[in-house]
Amino acid sequence: MSYARVLCAGLLGMEGRIVEIEADLAPGLPAVILTGLPDKGLNEARERVRAAVVNSGQTWPQRRITVNLQPATMPKHGSGFDLAIACALLTAAGDLPAAPLDGVVLLGELGLDGGVRSIRGVLPMVAAAVRHGVSRVVVPIANAREATAVPGIDVRAVDTLERLISFLRSEAHLLDLPDIPEPPPASPGLDLADVAGQELGKYAIEVAAAGGHHVAFFGPPGAGKTMLAERLPWILPELDDDAALEVTAIQSIAGVLPPHSTLVRRPPFQSPHHTASTSALVGGGTGIAKPGAMSLAHRGVLFLDEAGELAPSTLQALRQPLESGRVIVARANGTTEFPARVQMVVATNPCPCAQPAGDQACICAPAIRRRYLARISGPLLDRIDIQVHLRALSAAQLMTNDAPTDSSMIIAERVAKARAAAAARWSMNGWQTNAEVPGPQLRRPPWRLPNNDTKVLRTGLDRGRLSVRGFDRVLRLAWTIADLDGRQRPNREDVDEAAQLRMGEERADRINRPFSFSPSANRTTAWKEP
């Protein structure tokens, strides 16, 4: 027999695709020809496979070898095809039986010594095998636990090509799956109680976590912007099965999933440096597009520290993904889509000099301050639900430890209850948090609030101080505040409170509304501007 066919899998963006590896041996000068749009890394598989086969004790066929990867129109990239190519050509040469490979997907990179090494993107590839009706998959031992996260398929692990060859000849067994290690004790993580003062900032983080809202912090250095942002993931609930599969698949494709990992349950946290490029932030690169920090933060938190130092064009690239929850990267050789449903936290100083004492010590001219803040454009800022101006801490606030402050654990319990209330209300429509609810839904019965309760919003909209998008985002905030307080529907106080979180006290005054806020009696943590 001079022809054989073996199943493998590749990636097209976030989606796994089944690939058929065909091997044909014909008379002629010894050579290996790869067809089917292989990239450079896959073209180099010819030398890796040859060395692995020889070092596994097998004879390399001295014939003209043609390896075709179907579908031929799909670009193939990476080294995950090595194991399937080796088995296909050995089967075509008559050194391996074809029956044991029928309906089996083979994944793995080969070392020159014949070892089977881990690859990226195993989880979406195995999911593609399940959709294709495949019942068994062979993966590197380092990827075995990741593959078992996909239900409905028999996962086998292998460490060397020699072991797989012996198994196919019924001379040996494959490796048992590695034991799942005992989970380490749950880490308490970063605690909001460690943040001195800034009760308004802490409350903003709690509301953001409860409703899935974006946050922007403005304030001098040392005010606590970064500390607040870094503690947001620790008050978010753990990911459910569907979200965990999505997050694990993205990390697997990006190559940041640790070996022998199963599903990722903790919401991810990404904090790219302010010199990051547009491709690094939203995804891209040469050839096949790769996920950026925004997709790596999917179902978690994307923190942009020193946002005023980011290139304006890079910040503008965030506008469409923040609305749609996905990144679509178009290249000459195809279009790739990545999920990007994140909670974004933006932190920036109010001006370039960034005096620790705040505005009263600033040496920047008004035009310089306006130009610096304008780097975060109005359209992008309009997509951020909560916008809080933090003030510099006084010595008394920094040194006082007697004030009662809720820990992240207590706040996480309130967040979980609020999210459960929102999910019960919106789940029939496919939404889990208030931030996902479309604005028209909140402006129509039965969810429409009385005109008297939304007076401040209608006044702001009529006078051009609030956009339609901003109007809807304040409504979403009001529903989240009501969920935190345990009410079925928001009242006027909730809407006023949401307006302050959105526009700030100064902006609320601009629409001629006398603003005074007193915390709800039901809320454990009261907050006020110092």
Side-chain angles (χ1 to χ4, degrees), residues 272-283 310-311 314:
H273 193 260
H274 62 262
T275 58
S277 65
T278 302
S279 295
L281 192 58
V282 300
L310 277 162
T314 300

Side-chain angles (χ1 to χ4, degrees), residues 323-412:
E323 287 290 318
S324 63
R326 55 182 181 162
V327 173
I328 301 176
V329 182
R331 293 292 183 266
N333 57 354
T335 300
T336 306
E337 181 176 323
F338 297 109
R341 190 165 295 282
V342 302
Q343 279 188 254
M344 187 174 72
V345 181
V346 173
T348 185
N349 297 315
C351 63
C353 77
Q355 293 294 324
D359 294 346
Q360 61 268 29
C362 178
I363 61 174
C364 297
I368 294 177
R369 291 173 61 91
R370 288 194 299 269
R371 192 181 306 119
Y372 187 80
L373 289 177
R375 295 172 71 90
I376 306 176
S377 68
L380 177 61
L381 201 58
D382 198 37
R383 289 167 166 81
I384 300 177
D385 307 40
I386 302 172
Q387 301 170 24
V388 175
H389 294 258
L390 302 178
R391 299 179 182 178
L393 292 175
S394 65
Q397 290 174 311
L398 185 63
M399 301 303 295
T400 300
N401 298 320
D402 299 333
T405 302
D406 289 341
S407 66
S408 289
M409 185 178 299
I410 295 175
I411 295 174

Side-chain angles (χ1 to χ4, degrees), residues 27 90 110 135 165 179 187 293 413 443 459 493:
L90 288 175
L110 289 176
S135 60
I165 291 172
D179 295 331
S187 171
E413 293 175 359
R443 290 184 263 111
T459 303
E493 287 73 22

Side-chain angles (χ1 to χ4, degrees), residues 208-264:
H213 305 288
H214 307 307
V215 190
F217 288 124
F218 304 88
K225 305 185 294 294
T226 301
M227 291 185 69
L228 289 168
E230 290 175 342
R231 282 150 179 77
L232 175 56
W234 298 100
I235 61 175
L236 293 174
E238 288 192 345
L239 303 175
D240 60 22
D241 290 343
D242 292 339
L245 277 171
E246 292 177 353
V247 171
T248 307
I250 295 171
Q251 294 192 8
S252 176
I253 291 170
V256 298
L257 190 68
H260 306 296
S261 294
T262 53
L263 291 181
V264 176

